[in-house]
Amino acid sequence: MTRTIEGSYEGRHLRIGVVASRFNETITKQLVEGALDCLRRHGVPDEFVTLAWVPGAFELPAAAKRIASSGEVDAIVCVGAVIRGETPHFDFVAGHAMDGIGRVALETGIPITAGVLTTETVAQAADRAGGKMGNKGFEAALAALEMANLYAALPKPETSL
Ligand code: INI
C-alpha cells in the first residue's frame, strides 16, 4: 500500500511571510498583489501575513533568512523582477537571488518559494505579473501554501540536518 502525502492549499491556519524587492517596482507591486490575492483566496487571515520590502532581488535571501529564523511563519514567498535589458550583472543578481532562496529554504527548514522573474525585457516581465502569462506572485504563494501543508504532513526529521 503506497502512502501518498500531499499538501493542500488550505490557508486558514497558516502564517506567511512575503518578501518583495522594490527594484522594478511597477512589476513587483503586481507580483505582491498576486501573492496577497492568492493568500486571501485560500483563507490566510490578513493579520497572519507579514510583508517585508527589500531594495532589490539581491537582498531577498538575507531577509527571507531573518524571517524564517524567527519561527513566526510557516512559509515564505519571495517576489522580485530581474530584467536583463537593464543590467550587465543580470546573471549575478538573478543567480544569487535564486540560489540564495533555495539555500535558505534548506538551511532553515522553512518552505520558501520564488516568484522571481528573470526576463529579457520589461514587457516579458509584465506578461508574468498579471498579464497574459498569469501572475508568478500568485503561483509562488500557492506553492508556499502547498509546501507549508506538506511539511506539516510529512514525517518529522529524527535529527535536524
Ligand atoms: N535588482 C533587481 O531586483 N532587479 C534588477 O533588474 C536589478 N538590476 O537591474 O540591477 C537589481 N539590482 C539591484 C540589486 O538587487 C541590489 O539591490 C543592489 O545591488 C544592492 O545590493
Side-chain angles (χ1 to χ4, degrees):
M1 181 74 167
T2 304
R3 176 166 66 148
T4 302
I5 306 175
E6 284 181 301
S8 77
Y9 297 134
E10 175 56 59
R12 273 177 294 187
H13 59 295
L14 294 178
R15 303 160 303 163
I16 305 292
V18 179
V19 188
S21 60
R22 219 177 289 112
F23 208 101
N24 295 314
E25 195 175 27
T26 51
I27 301 291
T28 62
K29 274 185 175 169
Q30 295 305 312
L31 296 173
V32 169
E33 282 312 311
L36 297 181
D37 180 40
C38 174
L39 298 178
R40 276 190 211 109
R41 283 172 189 264
H42 291 87
V44 180
D46 281 348
E47 60 272 25
F48 283 14
V49 179
T50 302
L51 170 62
W53 286 93
V54 297
F58 191 85
E59 284 76 32
L60 288 170
K65 184 161 187 176
R66 277 291 289 268
I67 295 170
S69 305
S70 72
E72 293 183 4
V73 297
D74 300 298
I76 296 175
V77 186
C78 291
V79 301
V82 193
I83 301 174
R84 187 186 293 277
E86 293 180 7
T87 174
H89 59 287
F90 170 95
D91 292 310
F92 297 107
V93 173
H96 172 79
M98 296 305 281
D99 290 350
I101 290 167
R103 192 155 13 91
V104 171
L106 292 174
E107 284 169 2
T108 61
I110 299 290
I112 307 179
T113 62
V116 180
L117 301 178
T118 53
T119 63
E120 297 293 323
T121 65
V122 174
Q124 288 171 349
D127 285 346
R128 293 159 176 78
K132 65 185 181 201
M133 306 283 284
N135 188 312
K136 297 297 167 195
F138 189 105
E139 289 175 22
L142 198 60
L145 296 178
E146 179 176 349
M147 288 297 288
N149 286 317
L150 176 70
Y151 272 35
L154 284 173
K156 300 289 167 280
E158 249 182 59
T159 55
S160 53
L161 291 177

